[in-house]
Amino acid sequence: MNVIKLIFPTRMLVYFVFCVKFSVGFAQAKIPVSYCESAPEIIPFIKGQKYGYVDRHGKVLIPAKFDQAGMFKMDFYTLLSQNASVLGTADYALVTLDEIKYRIDKKGSIVLKMDTVQSAPAVCCPQVEHDLVLFEKNKLWGIRDKKGKVVVENHYQTLDYLFWLDGSAKYFIAKKNGKYGVIDAQGLVKVKFLYDFLYNMNANATEDSGILLAGTLERQPIIIDFCGNRYYYK
């Protein structure tokens, strides 16, 4: 029996507000939806070496059949192309199958083969001025406000924004003692420092479109939501 395993940090137990029964073949788990509402509605998951998509409760929406699977999100690089209706909106995701990239819809159907796309001139992320500034001192990173006041001391080996298009700097991916986690703008830990590497899967986004992190844990690929819940089949 395949069981999707959602692992919840101990500190999250106080936030568990109700139980959700998964469909046949899934474990029963308590999901703190009120706290984890920042998770996107459609979430990539890993089964063996393949990727598919589940909803926030672990229900499989698209079976694991892709070699790589990205977020359903806007694609700035091809937003101005002739295929902008498919490539430029969050109704589609970028996946890889047999070394070929495709855009798929929310039912998992391939709608466009990427090597047939005539891209527009290079279009990247809009330039955003953040309300907090990263600084380095003695090879360690911290955070200042625009007036230069230190709001988070320089305790981190690396520090980077969880990128919002509106420029609000609320959360940061940080590295400490060789492990990655997430802190907020006051330096409070939001995702524990457990991971070999982390990055924001939905970099070109607003906060409302959902926070999802990918990376590695003990050299294995991992996908987690902002509460640290991990999405994979055991």
Side-chain angles (χ1 to χ4, degrees):
M1 180 183 294
N2 288 326
V3 178
I4 194 165
K5 189 176 183 182
L6 300 183
I7 302 178
F8 304 102
T10 302
R11 66 187 175 85
M12 291 306 304
L13 292 176
V14 296
Y15 294 101
F16 287 172
V17 292
F18 62 88
C19 295
V20 177
K21 286 188 177 181
F22 292 161
S23 59
V24 175
F26 288 84
Q28 183 173 339
K30 297 179 180 180
I31 299 179
V33 173
S34 61
Y35 184 81
C36 292
E37 59 189 7
S38 59
E41 294 181 359
I42 303 179
I43 299 170
F45 76 94
I46 304 169
K47 180 181 180 182
Q49 299 299 316
K50 296 294 184 179
Y51 291 76
Y53 293 85
V54 295
D55 66 14
R56 291 176 180 172
H57 308 302
K59 180 181 178 181
V60 174
L61 303 175
I62 301 172
K65 58 184 178 180
F66 303 109
D67 300 321
Q68 293 289 334
M71 295 282 292
F72 281 86
K73 68 175 184 177
M74 295 177 66
D75 186 331
F76 283 103
Y77 292 98
T78 47
L79 189 61
L80 301 180
S81 77
Q82 61 182 358
N83 304 101
S85 61
V86 174
L87 296 171
T89 75
D91 292 325
Y92 303 91
L94 184 67
V95 299
T96 302
L97 183 61
D98 297 328
E99 299 184 356
I100 299 175
K101 295 184 184 298
Y102 300 93
R103 291 289 273 185
I104 62 169
D105 63 21
K106 292 182 179 180
K107 295 181 180 179
S109 300
I110 291 173
V111 295
L112 190 66
K113 186 178 180 181
M114 292 298 289
D115 65 4
T116 65
V117 174
Q118 186 175 13
S119 297
V123 177
C124 191
C125 318
Q127 294 297 313
V128 175
E129 183 179 353
H130 287 286
D131 48 10
L132 294 174
V133 179
L134 308 181
F135 75 94
E136 181 187 16
K137 183 178 181 181
N138 299 326
K139 298 184 178 180
L140 293 174
W141 289 85
I143 305 170
R144 293 187 179 119
D145 63 20
K146 288 186 175 181
K147 295 181 179 179
K149 179 183 178 181
V150 174
V151 295
V152 177
E153 297 290 344
N154 56 314
H155 296 319
Y156 303 97
Q157 293 167 281
T158 63
L159 201 58
D160 200 3
Y161 300 98
L162 268 170
F163 182 67
W164 309 131
L165 292 184
D166 62 7
S168 59
K170 297 180 180 179
Y171 307 109
F172 303 81
I173 295 177
K175 182 180 180 182
K176 189 174 183 179
N177 298 325
K179 296 294 183 180
Y180 285 82
V182 175
I183 63 171
D184 66 12
Q186 288 74 48
L188 298 177
V189 176
K190 294 300 182 179
V191 174
K192 290 183 179 180
F193 288 86
L194 300 174
Y195 301 93
D196 306 319
F197 183 68
L198 283 179
Y199 68 91
N200 184 6
M201 293 188 70
N202 203 9
N204 302 329
T206 62
E207 187 172 5
D208 292 340
S209 59
I211 308 168
L212 203 64
L213 303 170
T216 56
L217 176 65
E218 297 178 354
R219 300 185 179 180
Q220 298 300 313
I222 197 76
I223 295 172
I224 64 173
D225 65 24
F226 199 59
C227 298
N229 304 324
R230 304 169 194 164
Y231 295 86
Y232 63 92
Y233 273 88
K234 186 177 181 182

